């Protein structure tokens, strides 16, 4: 007998299930096992649903009915489920999700707590919660693999989830917090629950998609995102597997006795920066006044999370007060953005750090220059503003003896801070990837983090937020000049902006810094491999003058501002004096963007206005402070 889905029959079965007084249950499912979407035989509990021998006719096909039974199993059985790779906080939820077969283990046997959940996985989890088992021959979306076609067809039929665009479901794309909220809201409505939100949640500075506003308010009202949103909603951030397990357990606590008995994370960890906001605000203002700054932005990280922000003075002198939303030219902090793009492309296999870059340019280099040597300022390329930044000019430089200084590329004794080399680095990365670095960063990190920054300031969504730069009391560079930089004709066409042209707010830069301080995780979700961050932080044993160590591209200093170790980068241009740093051991960090200050330096060689602010923040965040 055929197994084509009859939509009317499926809806009828769904309504019949909603009317049932039985608590929610789950089952192993028939086709999922063949696609390894469920745990291997013998893992997890006995089936919670029992197929009846009867088969209800639906048109010319068959609709397999299931019998809803009480959820089985005991708390002792659940806590016997192996979850050693899951953090203690949330381990109960992970065990429950495995036990109920909502989120099966990965092929390597781990739970994968930090891994983003795909849209297909999210729908499968809700399908298993639904208690409905309807085999289908045809799925409404051609991009859905067989393993989750039943789940997607069910979700489409009952209105829990539809496609994204152009007839696609995008089952492998990470599900965002906004998308999941809509799925949960519709799922609860399908179950007949009260889905009215009685609390309007306001998220200052965060752009919630219009389609998800009602659902996000309901999710927050229900406390389903508790612990996930202590430091911001981040509506476009993916949801991790552990976070989904906690959310589903919270959704089920009144229906599943085991879910109701779990120890779930509470969240609500206090921010020392927020507790001391007034004190730190005064410290920021005092440092700014002492060094004559026209405008200042500061963003704070605690334990790998962006927790607070400060601003002082003017965005446009005498007329527009500075805010945390304004976008400033970050100067050489741009090199961290370029280095992050390099690590992401290395992770994707698009580049090799130790291959001669001539392979990407289609030219025989006069010396073997690598991405690693460009990032570490040891390429020996000539560094001059007079050297052409365009594709043809750089290509000619790479193949000519006159394009290099003395020494062997890659050797630290030939270290020389090199802005031009970072232009070549950016071009090399774009040529290798066939993509603009702005697009690489937007797709991989900026978009999910709700951050906005660009090497081409003229492409920013809100150009009115871009500030001029002030050098002392005068204008260092106008806003219109900053905004004149638009996307170039093709990836790799120019390298002019990669050494210092990234334009963003301190909050935007702090989100990127938090990703590094969290070893590739942001708010519990892994956005890049830990190995990629380790690569960026890698350095040799030999110190440079001043006792600093060159990483890729950051620097490492020991004992600064009361911290055992700090990775950092400085930046200055047109009157901007900037500083980005983080403590890799605690996850604390500070980003300071300034303009118009005096540019004096402290004992660590850091711009004093930035150093004084950073010291105040690090001391406030120190254990026992």
């Amino acid at each position: 007998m055929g197994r084509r889905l009859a939509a009317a029959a499926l809806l009828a079965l769904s309504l019949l299930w909603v009317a049932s007084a039985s608590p929610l249950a789950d089952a192993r499912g028939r086709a999922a096992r063949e696609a390894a979407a469920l745990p291997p035989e013998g893992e997890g509990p006995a089936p919670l649903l029992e197929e009846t021998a009867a088969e209800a006719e639906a048109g010319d096909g068959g609709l397999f009915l299931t019998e809803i039974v009480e959820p089985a199993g005991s708390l002792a059985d659940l806590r016997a489920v192996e979850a050693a790779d899951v953090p203690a906080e949330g381990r109960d939820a992970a065990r429950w999700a495995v036990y109920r077969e909502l989120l099966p283990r990965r092929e390597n046997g781990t739970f994968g707590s930090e891994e983003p959940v795909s849209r297909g996985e999210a729908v499968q989890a809700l399908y298993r919660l639904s208690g409905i088992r309807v085999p289908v021959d045809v799925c409404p979306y051609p991009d859905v693999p067989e393993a989750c076609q039943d789940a997607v067809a069910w979700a489409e039929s009952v209105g829990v989830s539809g496609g994204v665009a152009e007839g696609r479901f995008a089952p492998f794309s990470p599900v965002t917090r906004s998308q999941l909220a809509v799925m949960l809201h519709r799922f609860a409505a399908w179950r007949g629950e009260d889905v009215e939100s009685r609390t309007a949640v306001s998220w200052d500075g965060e752009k919630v998609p219009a389609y998800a506003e009602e659902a996000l308010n309901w999710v927050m009202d229900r406390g389903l995102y508790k612990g996930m949103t202590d430091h911001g909603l981040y509506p476009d951030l993916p949801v991790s597997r552990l976070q989904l397990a906690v959310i589903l357990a919270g959704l089920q606590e009144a229906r599943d006795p085991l879910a109701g008995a779990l120890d779930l994370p509470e969240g609500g960890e206090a921010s020392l920066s927020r507790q001391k906001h007034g004190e730190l605000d005064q410290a920021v203002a005092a440092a700014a006044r002492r060094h004559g700054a026209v405008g200042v932005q500061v963003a704070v990280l605690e334990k790998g999370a962006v927790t607070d922000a400060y601003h002082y003075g003017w965005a446009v002198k005498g007329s527009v007060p500075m805010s945390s939303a304004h976008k400033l030219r970050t100067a050489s902090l741009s090199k961290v953005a370029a280095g992050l793009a390099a690590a992401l492309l290395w992770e994707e296999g698009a580049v090799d750090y130790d291959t001669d870059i001539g392979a990407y340019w289609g030219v025989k280099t006069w010396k073997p220059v690598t991405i690693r040597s460009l990032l570490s300022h040891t390429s020996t390329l000539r560094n001059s503003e007079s050297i052409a930044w365009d594709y043809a000019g750089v290509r000619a430089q790479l193949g000519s003896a006159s394009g290099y200084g003395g020494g062997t590329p890659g050797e630290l004794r030939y270290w020389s801070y090199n802005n031009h080399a970072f232009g070549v680095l950016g071009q090399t990365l774009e040529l290798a990837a066939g993509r603009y670095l702005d697009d690489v960063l937007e797709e991989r990190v900026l978009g999910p983090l709700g951050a906005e920054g660009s090497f081409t300031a003229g492409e920013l969504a809100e150009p009115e937020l871009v500030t001029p730069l002030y050098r002392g009391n005068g204008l260092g560079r106008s806003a219109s000049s900053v905004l004149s930089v638009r996307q170039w004709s093709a990836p790799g066409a120019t390298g002019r902006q990669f050494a210092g042209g990234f334009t963003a707010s301190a909050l935007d830069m702090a989100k990127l810094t938090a990703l590094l301080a969290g070893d590739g995780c942001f708010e519990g979700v892994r956005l890049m491999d830990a190995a990629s961050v380790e690569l960026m932080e890698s350095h040799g044993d030999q110190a440079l003058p001043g006792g600093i160590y060159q990483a890729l591209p950051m620097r490492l200093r020991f004992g600064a501002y009361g911290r055992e170790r700090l990775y950092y980068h400085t930046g200055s241009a047109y009157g901007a004096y900037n500083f980005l740093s983080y403590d890799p051991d605690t996850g604390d960090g500070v980003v300071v963007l300034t303009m118009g200050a005096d540019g004096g330096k402290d004992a660590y060689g850091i711009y004093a206005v930035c150093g004084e602010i950073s010291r105040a923040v690090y001391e406030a965040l120190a254990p026992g402070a």
Side-chain angles (χ1 to χ4, degrees), residues 556-615:
L556 173 65
R557 179 179 284 280
F558 293 89
Y561 309 130
R563 298 295 169 132
E564 183 177 341
R565 299 190 299 160
L566 283 182
Y567 280 99
Y568 73 93
H569 212 292
T570 57
S572 65
Y574 307 105
Y577 294 104
N578 303 329
F579 183 54
L580 170 161
S581 64
Y582 68 92
D583 180 337
D585 302 312
T586 65
D588 298 338
V590 192
V591 175
V592 184
L593 303 182
T594 78
M595 53 186 180
D598 57 29
K601 294 185 177 181
D602 64 14
Y604 301 115
I606 308 301
Y607 304 115
V609 61
C610 301
E612 290 178 19
I613 292 170
S614 298
R615 179 185 294 279

Side-chain angles (χ1 to χ4, degrees), residues 276-292:
K276 303 176 182 180
H277 187 92
E279 173 188 331
L280 286 173
D281 194 46
Q282 291 178 13
V284 170
R289 287 192 295 267
R290 188 157 41 249
H291 294 280

Side-chain angles (χ1 to χ4, degrees), residues 65-145:
L65 296 182
T66 57
E67 178 184 346
I68 307 297
V69 299
E70 296 291 332
S74 69
L75 197 59
D77 291 337
L78 180 147
R79 286 183 170 153
V81 173
E82 179 62 36
D85 62 307
V86 181
E89 188 180 39
R91 190 167 294 166
D92 263 8
R95 284 170 168 155
W96 174 80
V98 172
Y99 191 70
R100 292 293 188 230
E101 298 180 344
L102 307 178
L103 289 170
R105 291 191 182 90
R106 293 307 198 197
E107 290 183 0
N108 62 5
T110 65
F111 184 73
S113 302
E114 300 166 343
E115 294 178 23
V117 175
S118 71
R119 286 170 47 81
E121 287 175 315
V123 165
Q124 277 188 313
L126 292 175
Y127 175 58
R128 289 163 184 163
L129 278 182
S130 75
I132 301 296
R133 290 295 177 274
V134 184
V136 301
D137 281 340
V138 178
C139 178
Y141 301 101
D143 62 335
V144 175

Side-chain angles (χ1 to χ4, degrees), residues 240-270:
S240 75
R241 284 171 59 82
L242 182 56
Q243 287 170 345
L244 181 59
V246 172
I247 290 166
L248 295 180
L251 185 69
Q252 291 303 102
E253 60 184 359
R255 292 173 173 263
D256 183 336
L258 293 186
L262 301 179
D263 293 327
L264 300 180
E266 290 296 324
E269 188 170 356

